[in-house]
Amino acid sequence: MEEEDQQKVADLIKELVLRLLSGNPASGSQQLTSTSPTFQKYLRYAVRILSARLRPSIAPDSAAIAESIKRRLANQGKSSQALTFSELYNKFESKTGPGSVNNKWAVLHLLNIISEDRKNTTTQLDSSSVLLPNLAFNDAELGNDLRVSRKRGSKEKGWNNGVLLVSKDPENLREIAFKEFVNLLKEENEISEEVLVRDVLYACQGIDGNYVKFDTNSDGYVLLDSIKVPRATRIMVRKLCELGWLFKKVKGYIQESMDRFPAEDVGTVGQAFCAALQDQLSDYYKLLAVLESQAMNPIPLVSDSAASGNYLSLRRLSVWFAEPMVKMRLMAVLVDKCKVLKGGAMAGAIHLHAQHGDPMVQDFMRRLLRRVCSPLFEMVRSWVLEGELEDIFAEFFVVGQPVKAESLWREGYMLHSGMLPSFIPQSLAQRILRTGKSINFLRVCCDDRFWAEAATEAATAAGTSTRRGGLGYGETDALESLVDEAAKRIDKHLLDVMYNRYKFKEHCLAIKRYLLLGQGDFVQYLMDIVGPELSEPANTISSFQLAGLLETAIRASNAQYDDPDILDRLRVKMMPHGTGDRGWDVFSLEYDARVPLDTIFTESVMAKYLRIFNFLWKLRRVEHALIGAWKTMKPNCITSNSFDKLQHAVKMPLLSTLRRCQVLWDEMNHFVTNLQYYIMFEVLEVSWSTLSNEMEVAKDLDDLLAAHEKYLNSIVEKSLLGERSQTLYKSLFVLFDLILRFRSHADRLYEGIHELQARTESSLPSQDKSRSRKKTSDKSNNKSSEPGSWITDGRKALTQRASEFLRNMGQDLNAISKEYSSLLENFISQLPVQQHVDLKFLLFRLDFTEFYSRMHPSS
């Protein structure tokens, strides 16, 4: 400032002091002049205020300062003055535009400080201790003082943060101390702080500086040992350079992953993760650009508090790096965690680090995961709404493999638990898997295209779009809603197709009627016409002839009214046979379940049906054999008046043998009848009723599969075909074989009786012969004409041979009876220990009168 300007300022200050003292009664009634002692005291006080560095330590809030002033006036009992001040402040605050005060809070703060200072010094104003030292003071000295204070103030910026410091150091002791401190810093530091700041910024970009370089031994950026700096500075540089080490790790991972991107171990999720990291590094680069611009400004001295605030020191750099350090550390941890992961596993690992209490970290991880999970959610959307598995890098938690159409549902797609992210529950993943499987099943196996409408309706109902990008991380509720709506509609459409277009229920009923022998008239007629054929050796039977007999049985029974498509699927199957097997042992029926029904009626399922059919066929064969024996044993076939002429030695054994045969037949018939009732009604019908009810409430194909599997397993277990009933099953088949052997003995017995009847008739009058010959069967006549028959022998020989034959047959029947009783006792004794409750009910039916219990109390 020029000398003239300085003089003008001094004159203005004098004039201001004179006017203030003239209007102040406390100054006395004497005339004030520029040379009076009172004037000189107040002038020095004014100069001290104007030359002081006023640095308030409070926030620049004019409203807070005004409120403080009003509160102080009210506490002093000056309510009227507080009210007046409030009105004046409102007018002062409302003035805007040209000519108004911009820095209003500073004006209020100055007035408040002056008021408090005057209050504290009013009683001591005459004391020289509160004023500046009593120096010679004239106009020239006043100008010099103002000149010095102006130069000092020109280095400061208007109102900076700080405290109010009133200068009491005319000899500049503080300036001297600051200079000595600066000299001491220069002696302790070989390089300046500006240079260290620039090197630290270089290190934070992964670049070696002049003095801060990367040390492979310590695996980090360090300040060279040859550089002389304080230990605290060296530690601070090391801490700041940690950001560079973290940056280098993250940058290296991104570069390495992008170089290997077409490889399968990176994948689209890994690429999205690298892109998200790169976005964060872009923000980091912007921050470094700002810091580098500030690093160009020199760092001011400690005493130079009025210098520019846009400089960068190590301490300021530590403040700037606080938030980037947290983010970079988190990214480095994620990089280490995800090096060997990909796809859903990578997304799940990153999600675990999002469970953090810091809102800044939560927001950072949320933005990062939204980018990372974008490919994964797109795979979910495409799979749930389109049935497309867009997973060329094996990142999705649904895995597909090429299989046949009949195995598509069970084996075509499955969950890969290793790729299931932790933010997707297992139950939701199962619904996602089933929904996509249903679409592919409809498209591939059912040749259906109407599922697309159901998918569109599901997306509309869930409030999402079928386009890409409709879902993202953090929208788990929206994802669940979409999956639920899609699953509900697509599964319903799938069941409608299975029930209406492919008639699943009708096919299940057809299998029950034909393979499980539920169609009584068809089964009875089939056994009647194939019986003679199946009695031949298995290797002599023609399957084409049996197929013709099957067709005949269908046309001769109510089966002819069934759907032609169902009847066309019913076929004869000859099982593998060995030497000595009869047709009864290898004959079976099979049902051709085509796509898509073969998804439910798989080969293993049809094998179970075959086992059940063989068991039921053997049971029906035994029943058929007992019926045939009964037809032979009818009284009108063997009763004749000629028996009255038999000798007592023949007649009594004959009647005893016939009675023994009849009693044994009754026992066997009782067992077979009750067993067949149990199988047909307690097992088959009850299981079918349960299956029908479960089919009505099934919500998806999995429910249908589970219901049918439960139905089939129930039949297997209750029919003694389960693994836990193998001993009982073998005992039952031994009983069946014994009953069939009884049938052959009964046939042999009655054939012999017919021959005896024919021989007896030969001794009757001619007219009786003619009548009796009409009643004899062709088979008996053929037997009687053979050499060595009873008819060719004499009467004595007839009696002898008849007695021997009846004795042998009686012994055979007794042996069969004993064996049957032993086997039946063994069978019944095993029923109470069976785990299935229905098998215990079979015991109740077989021994309802407790006949066997009383006969064998020890068992």
Side-chain angles (χ1 to χ4, degrees):
M1 185 179 291
E2 299 296 335
E3 294 292 336
E4 295 180 359
D5 295 335
Q6 292 288 343
Q7 189 60 40
K8 289 180 180 180
V9 172
D11 294 339
L12 290 174
I13 294 174
K14 289 180 180 180
E15 186 178 354
L16 176 61
V17 173
L18 285 173
R19 290 188 179 185
L20 289 174
L21 292 178
S22 300
N24 186 5
S27 60
S29 58
Q30 59 180 350
Q31 184 68 28
L32 291 176
T33 62
S34 59
T35 59
S36 62
T38 303
F39 175 79
Q40 293 296 330
K41 291 178 183 179
Y42 283 107
L43 180 61
R44 282 194 294 270
Y45 179 69
V47 172
R48 187 183 68 174
I49 293 175
L50 294 175
S51 61
R53 290 191 293 265
L54 300 176
R55 297 189 299 177
S57 59
I58 61 176
D61 189 352
S62 58
I65 296 175
E67 185 65 26
S68 175
I69 295 173
K70 286 190 292 183
R71 188 165 51 251
R72 191 178 74 239
L73 292 174
N75 292 337
Q76 294 175 357
K78 302 176 181 179
S79 301
S80 59
Q81 295 183 13
L83 183 60
T84 304
F85 172 79
S86 179
E87 295 176 356
L88 293 174
Y89 169 73
N90 291 334
K91 295 179 181 179
F92 177 68
E93 184 67 22
S94 62
K95 287 186 177 181
T96 57
S100 62
V101 178
N102 294 329
N103 207 355
K104 297 178 181 179
W105 78 272
V107 174
L108 291 174
H109 183 67
L110 174 63
L111 296 175
N112 186 32
I113 292 299
I114 293 174
S115 175
E116 292 179 352
D117 186 68
R118 290 186 62 184
K119 178 182 177 182
N120 295 333
T121 59
T122 300
T123 58
Q124 302 177 358
L125 191 58
D126 294 336
S127 174
S128 60
S129 61
V130 298
L131 300 176
L132 291 174
N134 191 9
L135 301 176
F137 191 88
N138 52 36
D139 294 347
E141 290 174 348
L142 176 60
N144 293 333
D145 288 344
L146 290 175
R147 195 179 299 114
V148 172
S149 63
R150 177 65 66 181
K151 290 180 179 179
R152 186 182 305 158
S154 63
K155 298 180 182 178
E156 296 183 0
K157 195 175 178 180
W159 294 91
N160 294 329
N161 293 335
V163 296
L164 179 61
L165 295 178
V166 181
S167 177
K168 297 181 181 180
D169 188 14
E171 298 179 357
N172 296 328
L173 297 178
R174 295 175 61 200
E175 294 290 344
I176 297 173
F178 288 149
K179 290 180 180 180
E180 291 179 355
F181 177 70
V182 170
N183 294 331
L184 182 61
L185 289 179
K186 290 181 178 179
E187 292 177 0
E188 292 182 352
N189 292 273
E190 187 175 337
I191 56 176
S192 64
E193 189 174 1
E194 291 90 341
V195 175
L196 287 178
V197 168
R198 283 195 295 270
D199 273 19
V200 168
L201 292 177
Y202 288 148
C204 290
Q205 301 175 60
I207 304 172
D208 286 348
N210 293 329
Y211 306 102
V212 179
K213 299 180 182 295
F214 186 81
D215 184 13
T216 55
N217 295 327
S218 60
D219 191 25
Y221 288 94
V222 296
L223 188 60
L224 297 178
D225 295 336
S226 59
I227 305 301
K228 181 181 178 181
V229 293
R231 182 171 177 271
T233 303
R234 188 177 296 275
I235 294 175
M236 180 173 289
V237 170
R238 178 66 181 265
K239 289 182 178 180
L240 293 174
C241 290
E242 180 188 354
L243 187 61
W245 179 82
L246 297 171
F247 168 81
K248 190 174 182 179
K249 173 181 285 191
V250 175
K251 184 67 176 179
Y253 172 81
I254 296 173
Q255 188 64 38
E256 180 183 359
S257 299
M258 290 296 99
D259 292 342
R260 296 184 297 108
F261 169 63
E264 186 176 340
D265 58 345
V266 178
T268 56
V269 176
Q271 186 186 20
F273 178 49
C274 292
L277 293 177
Q278 190 62 51
D279 288 346
Q280 297 298 324
L281 292 186
S282 298
D283 296 338
Y284 176 69
Y285 292 148
K286 295 177 183 177
L287 173 63
L288 290 181
V290 173
L291 296 179
E292 285 183 352
S293 65
Q294 293 187 10
M296 301 300 294
N297 299 327
I299 300 176
L301 298 177
V302 180
S303 61
D304 197 5
S305 58
S308 173
N310 292 329
Y311 65 90
L312 198 60
S313 64
L314 292 177
R315 292 187 178 276
R316 287 196 171 197
L317 199 58
S318 64
V319 176
W320 278 104
F321 281 174
E323 182 175 334
M325 187 75 75
V326 174
K327 293 182 179 180
M328 200 67 71
R329 282 175 181 166
L330 191 54
M331 288 191 288
V333 170
L334 296 178
V335 165
D336 287 337
K337 188 72 174 179
C338 299
K339 278 186 177 179
V340 295
L341 300 177
K342 68 174 183 177
M346 176 183 289
I350 298 174
H351 167 73
L352 294 178
H353 290 82
Q355 312 305 311
H356 202 282
D358 189 345
M360 187 270 292
V361 175
Q362 286 183 355
D363 181 68
F364 171 76
M365 291 300 302
R366 189 179 298 110
R367 287 185 281 109
L368 185 70
L369 277 167
R370 190 161 186 88
R371 289 290 303 273
V372 171
C373 296
S374 177
L376 194 63
F377 276 86
E378 177 55 32
M379 294 178 194
V380 173
R381 186 206 62 80
S382 177
W383 174 251
V384 169
L385 297 180
E386 302 171 8
E388 297 292 341
L389 197 59
E390 300 177 354
D391 186 23
I392 60 177
F393 297 108
E395 301 174 283
F396 197 33
F397 54 85
V398 175
V399 180
Q401 56 185 354
V403 293
K404 295 181 180 179
E406 60 268 18
S407 303
L408 178 66
W409 183 267
R410 284 186 169 89
E411 304 173 4
Y413 303 98
M414 59 191 67
L415 279 181
H416 184 191
S417 57
M419 289 295 170
L420 181 62
S422 55
F423 53 83
I424 296 181
Q426 184 75 21
S427 58
L428 179 59
Q430 289 289 348
R431 296 200 298 273
I432 292 173
L433 171 65
R434 191 185 67 245
T435 304
K437 280 202 308 183
S438 299
I439 294 177
N440 282 277
F441 184 81
L442 286 167
R443 183 165 49 203
V444 176
C445 299
C446 301
D447 193 24
D448 181 81
R449 295 293 180 270
F450 295 102
W451 58 265
E453 298 178 1
T456 304
E457 293 175 0
T460 303
T464 59
S465 173
T466 56
R467 295 179 286 104
R468 294 178 178 269
L471 294 172
Y473 175 79
E475 300 176 357
T476 307
D477 293 340
L479 176 63
E480 287 194 21
S481 176
L482 174 63
V483 173
D484 290 342
E485 293 293 338
K488 181 173 63 177
R489 285 168 170 77
I490 294 175
D491 288 337
K492 182 179 182 301
H493 178 68
L494 173 57
L495 292 181
D496 290 342
V497 171
M498 292 295 290
Y499 289 157
N500 301 327
R501 180 177 173 184
Y502 292 99
K503 301 180 180 179
F504 172 73
K505 295 181 180 178
E506 288 78 358
H507 287 289
C508 286
L509 182 60
I511 290 177
K512 173 181 175 292
R513 294 171 62 186
Y514 298 116
L515 295 192
L516 303 185
L517 308 183
Q519 185 74 23
D521 58 340
F522 162 77
V523 175
Q524 187 64 41
Y525 192 81
L526 179 65
M527 297 198 77
D528 289 340
I529 62 176
V530 301
E533 189 74 20
L534 296 181
S535 299
E536 300 297 327
N539 53 5
T540 63
I541 299 176
S542 171
S543 59
F544 296 101
Q545 186 177 358
L546 292 177
L549 295 176
L550 174 64
E551 184 68 23
T552 302
I554 290 174
R555 294 181 179 179
S557 63
N558 287 331
Q560 62 181 316
Y561 301 111
D562 275 347
D563 190 342
D565 177 62
I566 291 177
L567 297 177
D568 182 60
R569 296 170 184 260
L570 189 62
R571 299 171 185 175
V572 172
K573 179 181 180 180
M574 300 296 291
M575 294 183 296
H577 54 271
T579 305
D581 289 338
R582 295 283 175 177
W584 290 104
D585 302 321
V586 298
F587 174 82
S588 65
L589 297 179
E590 67 175 353
Y591 196 83
D592 182 20
R594 302 159 192 164
V595 177
L597 295 177
D598 55 0
T599 299
I600 300 175
F601 303 117
T602 60
E603 293 182 3
S604 60
V605 168
M606 299 312 295
K608 288 185 179 181
Y609 275 118
L610 180 60
R611 287 185 60 198
I612 299 173
F613 172 83
N614 291 334
F615 170 72
L616 296 177
W617 184 253
K618 188 70 174 281
L619 179 61
R620 284 300 184 98
R621 179 192 173 189
V622 171
E623 180 195 24
H624 190 265
L626 289 176
I627 293 174
W630 169 251
K631 291 179 181 179
T632 306
M633 293 165 57
K634 287 193 300 183
N636 60 344
C637 293
I638 60 175
T639 302
S640 176
N641 294 329
S642 61
F643 286 163
D644 295 337
K645 300 179 180 180
L646 292 176
Q647 296 182 4
H648 183 75
V650 176
K651 184 177 180 180
M652 294 307 295
L654 174 61
L655 294 177
S656 176
T657 303
L658 290 177
R659 182 178 180 281
R660 186 74 187 116
C661 182
Q662 182 70 41
V663 170
L664 189 56
W665 181 91
D666 285 337
E667 291 184 11
M668 293 181 175
N669 184 66
H670 171 267
F671 171 74
V672 172
T673 301
N674 282 279
L675 179 62
Q676 186 178 17
Y677 177 89
Y678 164 76
I679 295 295
M680 300 306 295
F681 293 97
E682 302 296 337
V683 176
L684 297 181
E685 291 300 330
V686 172
S687 299
W688 173 255
S689 176
T690 303
L691 175 63
S692 299
N693 295 334
E694 291 183 352
M695 282 194 295
E696 294 297 328
V697 299
K699 296 181 179 180
D700 51 64
L701 189 57
D702 279 334
D703 290 348
L704 204 60
L705 288 169
H708 181 264
E709 185 176 2
K710 179 182 176 182
Y711 162 74
L712 196 56
N713 291 335
S714 174
I715 295 176
V716 169
E717 290 295 330
K718 294 179 182 180
S719 301
L720 314 178
L721 302 177
E723 295 181 358
R724 298 177 297 182
S725 306
Q726 286 301 305
T727 305
L728 200 62
Y729 175 77
K730 293 177 181 179
S731 301
L732 182 63
F733 265 61
V734 173
L735 276 170
F736 286 166
D737 292 337
L738 183 62
I739 293 173
L740 294 176
R741 198 170 68 187
F742 165 76
R743 164 68 192 275
S744 64
H745 279 74
D747 288 345
R748 196 151 57 89
L749 172 63
Y750 283 93
E751 285 175 5
I753 293 175
H754 282 302
E755 290 185 14
L756 178 61
Q757 182 183 9
R759 177 65 185 87
T760 304
E761 290 174 354
S762 63
S763 62
L764 296 176
S766 59
Q767 63 271 19
D768 294 335
K769 288 182 184 179
S770 60
R771 285 197 303 269
S772 62
R773 285 192 184 122
K774 293 180 182 180
K775 296 180 182 181
T776 58
S777 61
D778 294 337
K779 185 174 181 180
S780 299
N781 291 335
N782 293 336
K783 290 284 184 180
S784 64
S785 62
E786 292 178 359
S789 64
W790 293 356
I791 297 177
T792 59
D793 298 333
R795 188 173 184 83
K796 182 178 180 180
L798 174 64
T799 302
Q800 183 179 359
R801 293 194 61 182
S803 299
E804 181 181 359
F805 170 75
L806 292 175
R807 183 173 60 255
N808 293 335
M809 290 303 301
Q811 292 176 355
D812 291 343
L813 288 177
N814 288 333
I816 291 176
S817 177
K818 290 181 180 179
E819 185 178 358
Y820 175 77
S821 298
S822 176
L823 291 175
L824 183 61
E825 178 187 354
N826 181 43
F827 178 82
I828 292 177
S829 65
Q830 296 181 52
L831 288 177
V833 299
Q834 297 300 312
Q835 297 182 6
H836 207 288
V837 65
D838 287 347
L839 292 178
K840 297 179 181 179
F841 183 76
L842 174 61
L843 172 63
F844 171 74
R845 291 199 58 84
L846 293 176
D847 195 19
F848 178 75
T849 61
E850 298 183 356
F851 172 78
Y852 298 105
S853 300
R854 291 194 299 267
M855 183 180 295
H856 308 284
S858 59
S859 60

